[in-house]
Amino acid sequence: MKRVIGVALTWDGARQPVRSLPAKARAFLGEAVAPSPRRTAQLLAGDKISEIRICWVPRLRGGDEVLAEPFATSDGKRVPFMATRIRPLGDHLGVVYRRRN
């Protein structure tokens, strides 16, 4: 079964706590909160994620907490995701990325 994950990221790719987001942004992510970076990397490497919902937060933060740790796919190629929906959320931006076949 493929999963849908959701995460809030700053412009530099650092994770932002979902609880700090405005209500519209939290609603966009819904219940699809991403697991730890290590677990997210395992799911991506194992082709277990069909959709990633990212709420882009308009700030730079830096730090070690990012979407996923480095990983290798079974075929050594990039994981093909494509932006399929963009939704303005006030100062934030919600983007749905779906797996391409």
Side-chain angles (χ1 to χ4, degrees), residues 10-90:
T10 60
W11 290 338
D12 58 352
R15 279 193 183 204
Q16 179 77 13
V18 173
R19 67 184 175 279
S20 71
L21 299 175
K24 277 180 146 179
R26 286 193 314 270
F28 171 78
L29 293 176
E31 300 294 322
V33 177
S36 70
R38 175 171 288 170
R39 181 67 182 137
T40 300
Q42 291 170 345
L43 292 170
L44 285 166
D47 192 24
K48 303 278 192 236
I49 296 176
S50 61
E51 180 178 295
I52 302 172
R53 300 173 74 86
I54 297 180
C55 179
W56 291 104
V57 178
R59 66 181 284 205
L60 297 174
R61 184 170 153 222
D64 295 331
E65 189 73 8
V66 294
L67 174 63
E69 292 182 354
F71 64 93
T73 59
S74 59
D75 60 4
K77 296 185 180 183
R78 296 178 99 174
V79 181
F81 279 88
M82 178 178 180
T84 59
R85 188 170 41 160
I86 298 171
R87 184 169 166 208
L89 303 166

